[in-house]
Short mmCIF file of all heavy atoms in Angstrom, two decimals:
data_model
loop_
_atom_site.label_atom_id
_atom_site.label_comp_id
_atom_site.label_asym_id
_atom_site.label_seq_id
_atom_site.Cartn_x
_atom_site.Cartn_y
_atom_site.Cartn_z
N PRO A 32 1.39 20.42 -20.13
CA PRO A 32 1.59 18.97 -20.21
C PRO A 32 1.66 18.30 -18.85
O PRO A 32 1.12 17.20 -18.66
CB PRO A 32 2.91 18.83 -20.98
CG PRO A 32 3.03 20.09 -21.76
CD PRO A 32 2.43 21.15 -20.89
N LYS A 33 2.31 18.97 -17.89
CA LYS A 33 2.43 18.38 -16.55
C LYS A 33 1.10 18.41 -15.80
O LYS A 33 0.77 17.46 -15.07
CB LYS A 33 3.50 19.13 -15.75
CG LYS A 33 4.90 18.97 -16.32
CD LYS A 33 5.31 17.51 -16.36
CE LYS A 33 6.70 17.32 -16.90
NZ LYS A 33 7.08 15.88 -16.97
N VAL A 34 0.35 19.49 -15.97
CA VAL A 34 -0.96 19.56 -15.33
C VAL A 34 -1.89 18.49 -15.90
O VAL A 34 -2.66 17.86 -15.17
CB VAL A 34 -1.56 20.97 -15.50
CG1 VAL A 34 -3.01 21.01 -15.02
CG2 VAL A 34 -0.74 22.00 -14.74
N CYS A 35 -1.81 18.27 -17.21
CA CYS A 35 -2.60 17.20 -17.84
C CYS A 35 -2.17 15.83 -17.30
O CYS A 35 -3.01 14.95 -17.08
CB CYS A 35 -2.43 17.23 -19.35
SG CYS A 35 -3.29 18.59 -20.17
N GLU A 36 -0.88 15.67 -17.10
CA GLU A 36 -0.37 14.41 -16.56
C GLU A 36 -0.95 14.13 -15.18
O GLU A 36 -1.29 12.99 -14.84
CB GLU A 36 1.15 14.46 -16.51
CG GLU A 36 1.81 13.12 -16.23
CD GLU A 36 3.33 13.20 -16.30
OE1 GLU A 36 3.86 14.25 -16.72
OE2 GLU A 36 3.98 12.20 -15.92
N ILE A 37 -1.07 15.18 -14.37
CA ILE A 37 -1.66 15.02 -13.04
C ILE A 37 -3.13 14.63 -13.15
O ILE A 37 -3.60 13.72 -12.45
CB ILE A 37 -1.51 16.33 -12.23
CG1 ILE A 37 -0.05 16.55 -11.86
CG2 ILE A 37 -2.38 16.28 -10.98
CD1 ILE A 37 0.20 17.86 -11.15
N LYS A 38 -3.85 15.30 -14.03
CA LYS A 38 -5.29 14.99 -14.17
C LYS A 38 -5.50 13.56 -14.65
O LYS A 38 -6.39 12.86 -14.16
CB LYS A 38 -5.94 15.98 -15.14
CG LYS A 38 -7.46 15.81 -15.23
CD LYS A 38 -8.11 16.96 -15.94
CE LYS A 38 -9.63 16.77 -16.02
NZ LYS A 38 -10.26 16.72 -14.68
N ILE A 39 -4.70 13.13 -15.60
CA ILE A 39 -4.81 11.75 -16.10
C ILE A 39 -4.49 10.76 -14.99
O ILE A 39 -5.16 9.72 -14.84
CB ILE A 39 -3.88 11.55 -17.31
CG1 ILE A 39 -4.37 12.39 -18.50
CG2 ILE A 39 -3.81 10.09 -17.71
CD1 ILE A 39 -3.40 12.44 -19.66
N ALA A 40 -3.47 11.07 -14.19
CA ALA A 40 -3.09 10.18 -13.09
C ALA A 40 -4.20 10.10 -12.04
O ALA A 40 -4.50 9.01 -11.52
CB ALA A 40 -1.79 10.66 -12.45
N LEU A 41 -4.83 11.24 -11.74
CA LEU A 41 -5.92 11.23 -10.76
C LEU A 41 -7.11 10.44 -11.29
O LEU A 41 -7.76 9.69 -10.55
CB LEU A 41 -6.33 12.66 -10.43
CG LEU A 41 -5.32 13.47 -9.60
CD1 LEU A 41 -5.80 14.91 -9.43
CD2 LEU A 41 -5.10 12.83 -8.23
N ASN A 42 -7.41 10.62 -12.57
CA ASN A 42 -8.53 9.87 -13.16
C ASN A 42 -8.27 8.37 -13.12
O ASN A 42 -9.17 7.57 -12.85
CB ASN A 42 -8.76 10.31 -14.60
CG ASN A 42 -9.37 11.71 -14.69
OD1 ASN A 42 -9.99 12.19 -13.74
ND2 ASN A 42 -9.21 12.35 -15.83
N SER A 43 -7.02 7.99 -13.39
CA SER A 43 -6.69 6.56 -13.40
C SER A 43 -6.73 5.96 -12.00
O SER A 43 -6.89 4.74 -11.84
CB SER A 43 -5.31 6.34 -14.02
OG SER A 43 -4.30 6.91 -13.20
N SER A 44 -6.60 6.81 -10.97
CA SER A 44 -6.61 6.30 -9.59
C SER A 44 -7.98 5.75 -9.20
O SER A 44 -8.09 4.98 -8.24
CB SER A 44 -6.20 7.41 -8.62
OG SER A 44 -4.86 7.80 -8.85
N PHE A 45 -9.02 6.13 -9.93
CA PHE A 45 -10.35 5.64 -9.60
C PHE A 45 -10.51 4.15 -9.93
O PHE A 45 -11.47 3.52 -9.50
CB PHE A 45 -11.42 6.45 -10.34
CG PHE A 45 -11.60 7.83 -9.78
CD1 PHE A 45 -11.20 8.94 -10.50
CD2 PHE A 45 -12.15 8.03 -8.53
CE1 PHE A 45 -11.36 10.21 -9.99
CE2 PHE A 45 -12.32 9.30 -8.01
CZ PHE A 45 -11.91 10.40 -8.74
N THR A 46 -9.60 3.62 -10.72
CA THR A 46 -9.64 2.19 -11.04
C THR A 46 -8.81 1.35 -10.08
O THR A 46 -8.71 0.14 -10.23
CB THR A 46 -9.14 1.95 -12.48
OG1 THR A 46 -7.77 2.38 -12.58
CG2 THR A 46 -9.99 2.72 -13.48
N SER A 47 -8.21 2.00 -9.08
CA SER A 47 -7.39 1.28 -8.11
C SER A 47 -8.25 0.36 -7.26
O SER A 47 -9.38 0.72 -6.88
CB SER A 47 -6.65 2.28 -7.22
OG SER A 47 -5.99 1.60 -6.16
N PRO A 48 -7.76 -0.82 -6.93
CA PRO A 48 -8.53 -1.73 -6.06
C PRO A 48 -8.58 -1.25 -4.61
O PRO A 48 -9.37 -1.77 -3.82
CB PRO A 48 -7.77 -3.05 -6.18
CG PRO A 48 -6.38 -2.66 -6.54
CD PRO A 48 -6.51 -1.44 -7.40
N SER A 49 -7.76 -0.27 -4.27
CA SER A 49 -7.70 0.21 -2.89
C SER A 49 -8.74 1.30 -2.65
O SER A 49 -8.78 2.30 -3.37
CB SER A 49 -6.30 0.75 -2.59
OG SER A 49 -6.27 1.43 -1.35
N ASP A 50 -9.55 1.11 -1.62
CA ASP A 50 -10.53 2.13 -1.26
C ASP A 50 -9.84 3.41 -0.80
O ASP A 50 -10.34 4.52 -1.05
CB ASP A 50 -11.44 1.61 -0.14
CG ASP A 50 -12.35 0.48 -0.61
OD1 ASP A 50 -12.57 0.38 -1.83
OD2 ASP A 50 -12.82 -0.30 0.24
N MET A 51 -8.71 3.27 -0.12
CA MET A 51 -7.99 4.44 0.37
C MET A 51 -7.49 5.31 -0.79
O MET A 51 -7.64 6.54 -0.77
CB MET A 51 -6.81 4.01 1.24
CG MET A 51 -5.98 5.18 1.76
SD MET A 51 -4.57 4.65 2.75
CE MET A 51 -5.42 3.94 4.16
#
Side-chain angles (χ1 to χ4, degrees):
K33 294 301 181 182
V34 172
C35 287
E36 191 175 352
I37 290 176
K38 186 167 180 62
I39 293 171
L41 289 175
N42 288 339
S43 66
S44 296
F45 287 110
T46 62
S47 172
S49 170
D50 292 339
M51 178 181 294

